Amino acid sequence: MFSVSLPVDGSIRHWLSAWFLSGDYVSEGHIRIIIPIFVLWFIWLERNDAKHRNMSFYPDRIRWKCQGKIFQLFQAGLLKRRNWKGDMKLASSFGCHYVLDQVYFPKMVRWIKPKEHCFKLNVDGSFQGRSARSGGGGILRDWHGNVSFYFFLPLKAKSALHAEILTLYHGLRICKDRGISKVWIEMDALSVINLVQNRCIGSWEVCYSLQGIYDCLNSFQFHLSHIYREGNQVADHLAALGSKADNLHIGSTLEGFNSLRGMIRTDKLNLPYFRHAFI
């Protein structure tokens, strides 16, 4: 339901980390923090009943109790819309039905140039489902906003998270091969940023790519930050090109890429994009 990839080693600490770092909006009180805590608590109660009361251990009863407890929190007014941020579509599965006030407000988002003698790498992954083609793309620009290189490629990704991680890995490998020493890494996947900053092992499908990222980062002086998708338009466009490509493409000239040229110029001139979100 929540598409959380559980870690390889199966320890409780890494299992909890996988949940806590699985979404872009996870913070204190978020549903992705509440659920694993409830699961562990009811596993403990079920274990005690089986050991001390001679009752059978029934996994479905744990799931029912978790669902019931979440619904109780909702009925008591303790589970708000903000606790479901990023997962609002799943709230109804637990019987939590909210009235969505469609109040929108605009927010300006700008691509910011890096400091002098530093480069900035923007990356993005595209995943449309296991049956569709996935792609990734990124661009490295200098402190003047000029293009050092851009790339896009098709990916064999198993999830959106996997696509983002693979793309970041490929971008860092190209930077390393070109002798870049100082790089500001920026992407719109906050979950990937959290994984990398915490040096998490990750699930079986991403653990090797994450380790490749950590190995590459040892070669750089780097800074890692989040940007909203609206400000990551260039990388997003390159990821879409990657999903249609047959192999890796690396370039520096923009001939034949008129849309890309316009987005890069918008960033270079520090012109804003507008993000519309509801409250």
Side-chain angles (χ1 to χ4, degrees):
M1 180 183 290
F2 288 89
S3 300
V4 178
S5 299
L6 296 180
V8 181
D9 65 3
S11 71
I12 292 178
R13 180 170 65 89
H14 289 122
W15 185 76
L16 286 173
S17 294
W19 269 94
F20 296 168
L21 301 172
S22 63
D24 288 346
Y25 304 102
V26 180
S27 59
E28 184 178 353
H30 193 274
I31 191 65
R32 289 178 183 252
I33 290 180
I34 293 172
I35 285 180
I37 291 174
F38 278 173
V39 169
L40 289 177
W41 172 247
F42 287 120
I43 286 176
W44 174 254
L45 293 181
E46 195 74 11
R47 174 260 184 198
N48 286 344
D49 285 341
K51 183 177 180 180
H52 301 294
R53 300 182 182 179
N54 201 27
M55 297 173 62
S56 60
F57 191 96
Y58 195 31
D60 280 344
R61 187 156 50 219
I62 297 170
R63 177 170 57 85
W64 297 335
K65 287 180 178 179
C66 288
Q67 290 178 327
K69 185 61 67 175
I70 289 170
F71 184 64
Q72 286 180 4
L73 291 176
F74 167 72
Q75 285 188 313
L78 298 176
L79 204 57
K80 309 292 186 181
R81 281 177 47 193
R82 63 176 178 271
N83 302 115
W84 293 89
K85 189 173 182 180
D87 295 305
M88 184 58 71
K89 292 180 180 179
L90 301 177
S92 58
S93 301
F94 293 85
C96 306
H97 301 283
Y98 297 88
V99 177
L100 300 181
D101 302 322
Q102 299 296 319
V103 179
Y104 289 84
F105 68 96
K107 180 177 182 178
M108 288 193 298
V109 181
R110 287 186 173 91
W111 181 85
I112 306 298
K113 296 173 185 175
K115 293 181 179 180
E116 191 172 356
H117 303 302
C118 182
F119 293 83
K120 189 172 188 180
L121 176 68
N122 285 81
V123 295
D124 192 31
S126 173
F127 181 79
Q128 303 299 326
R130 293 180 183 270
S131 60
R133 297 191 66 179
S134 303
I139 183 170
L140 186 78
R141 286 171 279 191
D142 64 18
W143 54 98
H144 299 296
N146 296 324
V147 177
S148 296
F149 71 80
Y150 61 86
F151 73 95
F152 55 85
L153 76 164
L155 298 172
K156 294 182 179 179
K158 300 177 178 63
S159 65
L161 178 68
H162 193 199
E164 298 280 3
I165 289 172
L166 284 173
T167 305
L168 176 57
Y169 172 66
H170 282 286
L172 291 175
R173 281 292 304 271
I174 299 171
C175 288
K176 184 178 178 181
D177 291 343
R178 297 193 172 213
I180 303 298
S181 59
K182 294 182 180 180
V183 61
W184 176 3
I185 306 159
E186 190 172 67
M187 56 195 309
D188 56 49
L190 191 56
S191 55
V192 177
I193 293 171
N194 289 333
L195 284 171
V196 173
Q197 287 180 331
N198 290 282
R199 295 272 173 159
C200 293
I201 297 174
S203 65
W204 64 268
E205 66 184 19
V206 301
C207 61
Y208 295 109
S209 298
L210 280 173
Q211 187 57 54
I213 289 171
Y214 303 148
D215 292 342
C216 286
L217 290 177
N218 291 333
S219 304
F220 305 119
Q221 295 180 41
F222 72 93
H223 171 64
L224 187 61
S225 67
H226 174 260
I227 187 172
Y228 288 116
R229 184 172 298 276
E230 289 78 4
N232 204 31
Q233 291 285 334
V234 175
D236 183 68
H237 185 76
L238 288 165
L241 292 176
S243 65
K244 301 174 185 176
D246 295 321
N247 46 51
L248 172 65
H249 176 91
I250 303 175
S252 56
T253 62
L254 299 172
E255 292 183 12
F257 297 97
N258 293 330
S259 297
L260 192 61
R261 188 197 306 272
M263 295 175 191
I264 292 171
R265 182 168 177 77
T266 297
D267 289 348
K268 189 174 182 179
L269 294 174
N270 198 33
L271 297 176
Y273 298 93
F274 287 91
R275 171 180 173 82
H276 295 275
F278 70 85
I279 57 175

